[in-house]
Structure formats: structure tokens, C-alpha cells
Amino acid sequence: MAGPVDPNLVKKVLIANRGEIAVRIARACRELGIRSVAIYSEADRYSLHVKKSDEAHCVGSDPLQGYLNPHTIVNLAVETGCDALHPGYGFLSENAELAKVCAERGIKFIGPSAEVIHMMGDKTEARTSAIRAGVPVTPGTEGNLSGIDEAVEFAGKIGYPVMLKATSGGGGRGIRRCNDEKELRQNYDRVISEATKAFGRADVFMEKCIVNPRHIEVQVLADSLGNTIHLFERDCSIQRRNQKLIELAPSPQLTPDQRKYIGELAVKVAKEVNYENAGTVEFLLDHDGSFYFMEMNTRVQVEHTITEQITGVDIVKEQIRVASGLPLRYKQEDVTYQGFCAQFRINAEDPKNGFLPSFGRISRYYSAGGPGVRTDAAMYSGYTIPPYYDSMCAKLIVWALTWEELLERSERALGDMQIYGIRTTIPYYQEILQHPEFRAADFNTGFVEKHPELVHYSVKRRPESLVAAIAAAVAAQAGI
Ligand code: ADP
Ligand code: ADP
Ligand code: MG
């Protein structure tokens, strides 16, 4: 390899992650002429990220522990001569300790500072920062709840339904909707125990539940020289159990004025906390057009890809540049977008069977291709998906110039992608794509729950327009 494209860039990056995001980071390093070091557990010996990096080191026989210990990972970075570390998403990506240990050991952490991770990882502190920045937040408690009595009293004030949320929650876990006092009392201890188990902290707070909102989030980028920009928004309203399934950029549900407004709000939040590197500011959009700050994710997101496709900005490369101390290559006015992009999270789950995980050996895999199609995956024919990790095994990313073309191209691409040996969410997405509400870009976070029939995909429907067009063509040929 010729060496870094830019001599000011870091030279060697340890990728503290696995799966498709580790492959994504290794690809960015390759294009920048930077060496990459993968880590893997025994269970991941045959994973694609191991093959796509320049070096790979086994971090133990336990499937998870090796990916979760900041000290051993940073030790390895030092021992292998790395000068930077990329945390990806999930695992330690929002662990302030990792950023701190990196700083202490002279390894550049590709993300914000430990202080900012710590602050924004606490949802109540993040809300306080947003309020300071003059950004509207969902009505809710100022800090954590002291107990069930305070919870009941506060819910009485803001009115039901309310959301109980784990202060340090993530990945859609530790969130419960309570429609009345009885449900609040039932859920209170449950959320605390979920939060303790999943995040190691028992703190919970309360927000007013915005009924069937749209989830709109803004990608931000900031360098160490004080330049902060946004790369427009993503619409992640298609969710199941607060977890995103399909993401769209830009949102087909926003007006240009709303787009401008929310982009500016996100930059305000980022500037308020002196944010550096890539981050995402998440908002809820209510039916009356109000936007409320929800949280900030201080890392690269699963759905960063769709923003890359509409803006042409390589977010992971920009992260590495910024962490190297270089300025952003874009000013706000340089950033434009074109067309629409969708990302389908292809999960190894059986939609017909309650989305039960469906791990196992992939006997054959054909990735989707053709115009406007990108697949970010960590699988290949013959690969066995280990049962220890997240069920997302690929991301199908589809771009088109118009919304209508995006619908047709997505249908085509989902049909192109063939995964044998396991069940996936592909047929479920094919059904969603046919739904008139989705096609009319009129949906909110209640869509999946509202349409339970879509998991039964035995009947393959086609858009009426296409059926009519085919009928007309056949009739014309037959001379009818
Ligand atoms: P995004 O907003 O990037 O779509 P998600 O919330 O879907 O991110 O989370 C990305 C991945 O990280 C998922 O695999 C999720 O399970 C995991 N994850 C996110 N937050 C946490 C957390 N606090 N603890 C453990 N895993 C998490
Ligand atoms: P996580 O850290 O797990 O991503 P978030 O706070 O971002 O948690 O919330 C995840 C999802 O839960 C949102 O996208 C939204 O669908 C739902 N949600 C969260 N807070 C509220 C609320 N106050 N009202 C309605 N829905 C909410
Ligand atoms: Mg979130």
C-alpha cells in the first residue's frame, strides 16, 4: 500500500467492532491509505471484517467480553502500533471510559471527547443541554425520578400517556409507554430492572408520550476548529418496538422550511456542547408540526449510509480526518442533496414467527446490485451467522432520483437479494413497500403496529399502476 493519501492523517486504526460496520470502517481506511487492525472473538474467526482488515487479532474465547473491555482493546491498539481507534456503533461506541483510556494512552479516539460522550449518554443531561441551546424538548422530568410517587405525581401533571425511559438507554431498550396510572405502577420496576441489566444504571426519567410521532434525525459533522455543519435529515419512523427497520433520506414527509429549521436546531445542540466528529441529533415530530429534541447519538449510526448516498459525503472518512485534526472538507453551503435513499435493515429474523432470530449457515448469498444499489453486509455464501450478536446481517441501501422511482427500485433490489439458509426480513419489507400509506409517504412510528397483516407475505401484490401497465402492454401486443 502506498501509505496515507494525506500525510496529516492518522496512520493505523484499530477497529473496535465487528460485522458490517467494521467492514465499512476498513473500507474507508483502505481508500485513505491507512492501515486497519481488526479484533475478533473465537466465534468471529470467519467473519468478513477479519478478512477485510490488514491485520486481525483474536480477543478471546468469550463471544462478547473481548469487544467490551476498553483496557485490553486500547492495549492492543498500542501494541500493534495504531495511532487511532474507531468504535463503530453499539459495543463501546458510547462508552466514555474508552475515549478516556484512548486519550491517556495517546490513541486518537475517532469520536467526540469522553466528557461529551458522558454528558450526551445521559438522556436527562442531554435534554438540559438542548434546553440551554434554546431547542424544544419533549415535556418531561428535569432529572431522574426519585421513586414511583414522584412518577405518579409528575404523570398527573403532564397527562397520560407517558414514556418511562432509562436515562442511559439505547438500541430501543428500556423504554415503556404507560397509558394510565395502573400501567405506570406496573412498568416502573420493570424499566428499572431492564435498565440495570442492560445498561448497568437504574436511573429512569419520564417524558410525555407523543402519540404516533415521526422520528426525524439530523446528521451533524464538526471538526476541532469549530466548524459545525449538518447533512440534512433522515426519517426513521418505520420501527418495531422502538427499533428502526427502514430509514429514509431526506424525509419524504418534511417541507423545505421544516428541513431548514430542523437542520439549524441540530447544529445549535452540537455547538452548545462543543461537539466534535460525527453525531446525530434525534427529534420527534408531532402531528401539529412541533419538533422535540429526543436524544443525541455520539457515534456513527447504522443509517449513516443513506445520508452518504444523497449528499455524496463519505461520513466515515470525514470522521477519520476530523480525528486527525484536519478541517472538514465542506462548509454548510457546500452540502446539497439529490434524490431519495432508503436503507432496509436485513435482519436474520422470521417476520412470520414473531421476528424470532434465525441464525445459522447461509448456504448461498447473492447480493443485490444494479443502478443506485449499495449493500453493506458482513456475510458470504457458506458463512454461519453466530447466535451471540445483533440479528442485523446486511443493509440494503437504494437510491433514486424520485420517490416513485425509489419505490420501484427498492422492490427490484429486495427481489435481487437472495439469502438462502436463514429467514430474513426481506419479504416483510416487500409488503411494506406495497402499502398505500408507505407509498404515499404518510406514516409514523405506529405504522408497524397498525399493520400486523403485513407479516403474512404469502400473497405477492404488485402496484396497481404496474398491473395496469402490464395489462395494457399485453392487450396492445395482442391487438385488442
Ligand atoms: P442507530 O440509531 O445507529 O440506528 P441503534 O439504536 O439501532 O442505532 O443501535 C445500533 C446498534 O447498537 C444496535 O445493534 C443496538 O443493539 C446497539 N446499541 C445501541 N445502544 C446500545 C447500548 N446502550 N447498549 C448496548 N447496545 C446498544
Ligand atoms: P434509544 O436511545 O433507544 O434510541 P430514543 O430515546 O431515541 O431511545 O427512543 C427510541 C424510539 O422510541 C423513538 O424513535 C420513538 O419511536 C420512541 N420514543 C421515544 N421517546 C418517545 C416519546 N416521548 N414519545 C413517543 N415516542 C417516543
Ligand atoms: Mg434513539
Side-chain angles (χ1 to χ4, degrees):
M1 214 162 47
V5 172
D6 183 329
N8 298 310
L9 282 172
V10 295
K11 310 268 179 301
K12 195 170 177 184
V13 174
L14 185 129
I15 304 169
N17 216 296
R18 66 176 298 281
E20 70 82 23
I21 194 64
V23 173
R24 169 72 188 87
I25 297 161
R27 284 178 170 148
C29 290
R30 185 61 57 92
E31 287 183 24
L32 288 170
I34 295 172
R35 290 185 66 78
S36 61
V37 178
I39 59 171
Y40 65 94
S41 66
E42 296 278 6
D44 266 337
R45 184 167 294 274
Y46 301 105
S47 288
L48 201 60
H49 74 281
V50 174
K51 302 182 212 293
K52 293 286 175 190
S53 309
D54 296 313
E55 273 174 48
H57 295 270
C58 184
V59 287
S61 55
D62 186 278
L64 290 169
Q65 287 317 309
Y67 295 114
L68 292 172
N69 189 327
H71 296 278
T72 53
I73 292 175
V74 178
N75 268 342
L76 185 65
V78 173
E79 280 166 21
T80 53
C82 290
D83 52 357
L85 179 149
H86 198 306
Y89 57 71
F91 292 120
L92 294 173
S93 60
E94 290 174 286
N95 181 301
E97 180 74 9
L98 177 63
K100 187 168 151 259
V101 177
C102 280
E104 286 164 2
R105 304 287 305 273
I107 301 282
K108 288 194 165 122
F109 179 76
I110 303 175
S113 67
E115 291 74 38
V116 170
I117 295 173
H118 182 77
M119 182 163 66
M120 297 317 248
D122 180 312
K123 291 188 184 189
T124 56
E125 279 199 45
R127 285 164 56 87
T128 308
S129 305
I131 294 167
R132 256 202 325 268
V135 171
V137 302
T138 336
T141 51
E142 230 169 71
N144 297 319
L145 288 163
S146 58
I148 181 66
D149 293 338
E150 192 192 351
V152 170
E153 191 195 324
F154 196 81
K157 256 191 247 162
I158 58 172
Y160 290 93
V162 297
M163 288 293 216
L164 266 184
K165 295 173 80 166
T167 305
S168 44
R173 281 165 302 160
I175 302 178
R176 293 232 177 186
R177 173 177 166 157
C178 313
N179 292 310
D180 50 40
E181 187 179 325
K182 189 171 156 238
E183 286 187 16
L184 176 57
R185 288 186 183 277
Q186 280 168 350
N187 284 329
Y188 194 79
D189 289 335
R190 263 187 224 154
V191 174
I192 289 183
S193 93
E194 266 170 27
T196 314
K197 237 196 278 166
F199 315 112
R201 270 184 69 182
D203 298 330
V204 293
F205 70 107
M206 185 187 290
E207 271 179 18
K208 182 155 186 61
C209 176
I210 309 297
V211 179
N212 293 335
R214 290 169 175 94
H215 173 119
I216 308 287
E217 59 182 38
V218 179
Q219 176 72 55
V220 295
L221 278 178
D223 64 23
S224 57
L225 305 152
N227 305 306
T228 307
I229 62 169
H230 70 81
L231 303 182
F232 303 100
E233 84 286 357
R234 299 184 281 256
D235 187 325
C236 310
S237 303
I238 303 291
Q239 309 181 346
R240 179 176 173 271
R241 300 197 174 160
N242 305 322
Q243 289 179 6
K244 300 159 187 168
L245 294 177
I246 302 175
E247 296 109 339
L248 301 159
S251 170
Q253 314 199 82
L254 291 196
T255 64
D257 282 348
Q258 286 177 309
R259 178 160 299 124
K260 188 163 178 291
Y261 171 69
I262 197 169
E264 287 168 2
L265 286 190
V267 168
K268 272 194 200 170
V269 173
K271 282 196 168 155
E272 175 64 36
V273 299
N274 287 322
Y275 198 82
E276 191 185 313
N277 216 284
T280 299
V281 187
E282 296 190 333
F283 297 88
L284 293 177
L285 169 58
D286 204 349
H287 291 273
D288 65 3
S290 315
F291 284 100
Y292 298 105
F293 169 87
M294 185 166 52
E295 67 157 340
M296 180 164 193
N297 291 319
T298 54
R299 55 173 166 85
V300 70
Q301 278 192 286
V302 177
E303 60 274 22
H304 74 280
T305 54
I306 55 177
T307 300
E308 294 186 325
Q309 297 312 113
I310 62 163
T311 61
V313 176
D314 186 316
I315 292 170
V316 179
K317 278 194 200 167
E318 231 39 51
Q319 286 194 288
I320 296 172
R321 288 177 56 83
V322 164
S324 304
L326 293 168
L328 284 175
R329 284 181 293 178
Y330 309 88
K331 299 212 161 30
Q332 189 66 63
E333 56 270 25
D334 300 334
V335 185
T336 56
Y337 68 92
Q338 196 177 26
F340 284 95
C341 190
Q343 174 174 279
F344 300 87
R345 296 193 188 194
I346 312 298
N347 296 338
E349 293 170 3
D350 183 1
K352 272 191 183 175
N353 197 1
F355 292 83
L356 197 73
S358 171
F359 301 114
R361 183 171 180 273
I362 294 167
S363 51
R364 271 182 299 158
Y365 166 57
Y366 302 104
S367 77
V373 176
R374 161 177 173 184
T375 44
D376 279 22
M379 59 175 170
Y380 50 85
S381 291
Y383 174 62
T384 299
I385 302 180
Y388 314 106
Y389 310 103
D390 202 85
S391 63
M392 193 183 75
C393 56
K395 306 190 301 200
L396 178 62
I397 300 132
V398 184
W399 178 90
L401 203 47
T402 64
W403 174 247
E404 289 70 25
E405 192 180 16
L406 178 69
L407 296 173
E408 304 308 338
R409 185 171 279 170
S410 296
E411 191 193 359
R412 189 271 295 166
L414 284 163
D416 261 4
M417 192 176 212
Q418 298 285 319
I419 305 172
Y420 296 92
I422 55 161
R423 302 225 184 263
T424 75
T425 42
I426 290 176
Y428 179 55
Y429 297 147
Q430 288 173 318
E431 290 303 309
I432 291 181
L433 271 178
Q434 301 304 326
H435 199 280
E437 286 171 14
F438 185 79
R439 299 182 78 81
D442 179 18
F443 49 80
N444 54 51
T445 58
F447 180 88
V448 165
E449 217 176 321
K450 186 178 163 201
H451 299 292
E453 76 284 1
L454 295 181
V455 299
H456 300 291
Y457 42 79
S458 47
V459 194
K460 275 273 160 320
R461 281 164 285 137
R462 314 224 36 114
E464 273 168 37
S465 58
L466 198 60
V467 174
I470 293 168
V474 171
Q477 251 193 0
I480 303 168

